[in-house]
């Protein structure tokens, strides 16, 4: 009794479709029912990759190496036996290439600020597979919720410079699905704007002038009033 094959199932033996460059992976193609022997063919982008024959209904294993971005394309397999015309095709699989993150860059349109000013900070890792999650820090304290970016664009936060403590050191952290790969950015510090510093300069100059006038006035008083009065008393 000859039986037609069921549609085969294509699965990654390693259990995940996330891969890194130069990684070896194994795909299993298996028809659960049908008359053996079975011929399995693996396709990538509709191009034949390899063909294996099984004398029974055990899975056929295809070993691959991810050498380039083109190796993460669509895969399918076909199962054929002596009575299944045209064969039966499996589900399709697509690998996701996971690339480690580069060190993110923390920047702002301005490095100088004054109290009462709104400023922005942006954090961007130029390399690394998406999505990338960013968190901002001031010192060791996080100042933002995790921001998951699905596109290659910077995460941005808005800050309000309210006190001198807001001129501290800022950093950001970036991470993606690449295991044990978390990167911290450069440090960034806002400096007090020159116009803000200039507000204190007139006050200092005024105090110096008042003190100088007081000294001059005291010296003149000694010369023209105190000394003559002292001589007159004698």
């Amino acid at each position: 009794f000859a039986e037609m094959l069921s549609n085969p199932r294509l699965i990654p033996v390693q259990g995940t479709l996330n891969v890194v460059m130069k990684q070896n992976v194994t795909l299993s193609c298996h028809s659960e029912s049908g008359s053996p022997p079975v011929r399995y063919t693996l396709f990538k982008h509709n191009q034949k990759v390899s063909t294996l024959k099984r004398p029974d209904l055990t899975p056929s294993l295809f070993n691959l190496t991810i050498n380039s971005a083109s190796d993460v394309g669509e895969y399918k397999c076909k199962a054929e036996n002596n009575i299944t015309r045209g064969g039966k095709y499996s589900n399709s699989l697509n690998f996701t290439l996971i690339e480690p993150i580069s060190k993110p860059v923390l920047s702002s349109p301005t490095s100088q600020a004054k109290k009462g000013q709104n400023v922005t900070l942006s954090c961007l890792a130029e390399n690394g597979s998406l999505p990338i999650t960013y968190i901002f820090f001031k010192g060791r304290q996080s100042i933002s919720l995790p921001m998951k970016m699905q596109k290659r664009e910077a995460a941005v936060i808005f800050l309000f410079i309210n006190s001198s403590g807001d001129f501290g050191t800022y950093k950001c952290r970036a991470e993606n699905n690449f295991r044990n790969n978390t990167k911290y950015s450069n440090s960034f510090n806002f400096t007090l704007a020159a116009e803000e510093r200039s507000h204190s300069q007139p006050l200092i100059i005024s105090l110096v002038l008042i003190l100088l006038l007081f000294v001059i006035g005291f010296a003149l008083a000694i010369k023209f009033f105190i000394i003559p009065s002292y001589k007159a008393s004698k």
Side-chain angles (χ1 to χ4, degrees):
F1 177 73
E3 182 183 0
M4 292 183 62
L5 292 169
S6 61
N7 286 87
R9 185 184 178 202
L10 185 65
I11 61 172
V13 173
Q14 64 273 14
T16 178
L17 291 172
N18 292 333
V19 295
V20 298
M21 201 67 76
K22 304 300 181 183
Q23 180 178 336
N24 296 319
V25 296
T26 301
L27 293 178
S28 169
C29 185
H30 180 216
S31 288
E32 293 184 348
S33 62
S35 299
V38 184
R39 183 171 66 254
Y40 293 99
T41 303
L42 182 68
F43 295 87
K44 180 184 71 175
H45 296 306
N46 297 321
Q47 297 294 319
K48 185 185 295 186
V49 175
S50 180
T51 298
L52 298 173
K53 292 183 179 180
R54 300 297 302 171
D56 49 29
L57 290 179
T58 57
S60 187
L61 302 179
F62 296 93
N63 298 310
L64 308 169
T65 301
I66 305 301
N67 287 315
S68 67
S70 63
D71 292 329
V72 298
E74 182 186 57
Y75 288 86
K76 282 186 177 182
C77 71
K78 181 174 72 171
E80 300 171 280
N81 63 3
N82 293 331
I83 66 167
T84 306
R85 293 185 177 180
K88 292 292 185 71
Y89 285 88
S90 73
N91 55 295
S92 61
L93 289 181
N94 283 276
F95 289 107
T96 299
L97 187 62
I98 303 298
E99 180 186 4
I101 291 177
S102 60
K103 181 178 179 178
V105 176
L106 183 65
S107 61
S108 175
T110 178
S111 61
Q112 293 187 333
K114 59 183 179 180
K115 293 179 184 179
Q117 181 178 343
N118 292 307
V119 294
T120 61
L121 280 174
S122 62
C123 183
L124 176 63
E126 293 187 353
N127 297 305
S129 52
L130 299 169
I132 298 176
T133 300
Y134 298 93
I135 300 180
F136 291 83
F137 293 84
K138 181 175 175 293
R140 296 184 178 181
Q141 183 69 36
S142 63
I143 57 172
S144 74
L145 294 173
M147 305 170 68
K148 181 177 286 190
M149 310 303 291
Q150 302 289 345
K151 298 180 180 180
R152 187 75 59 189
E153 57 188 13
V156 179
I157 62 169
F158 300 89
L159 303 172
F160 179 69
I161 303 299
N162 190 44
S163 65
S164 57
D166 295 327
F167 290 94
T169 299
Y170 293 87
K171 281 190 175 183
C172 68
R173 186 180 74 195
E175 58 187 6
N176 64 359
N177 292 328
F178 195 94
R179 186 176 299 177
N180 300 323
N181 182 241
T182 298
K183 295 290 181 65
Y184 284 86
S185 72
N186 54 293
S187 298
F188 188 92
N189 291 76
F190 291 104
T191 57
L192 190 63
E195 60 180 285
E196 183 80 359
R197 293 196 301 266
S198 67
H199 292 330
S200 61
Q201 293 177 355
L203 179 61
I204 295 174
I205 295 174
S206 298
L207 291 175
V208 171
L209 289 176
I210 292 172
L211 181 61
L212 182 60
L213 290 173
F214 177 78
V215 171
I216 294 174
F218 184 71
L220 292 175
I222 293 175
K223 180 177 180 180
F224 293 104
F225 296 101
I226 297 176
I227 294 177
S229 298
Y230 177 75
K231 289 182 179 179
S233 64
K234 286 188 176 183

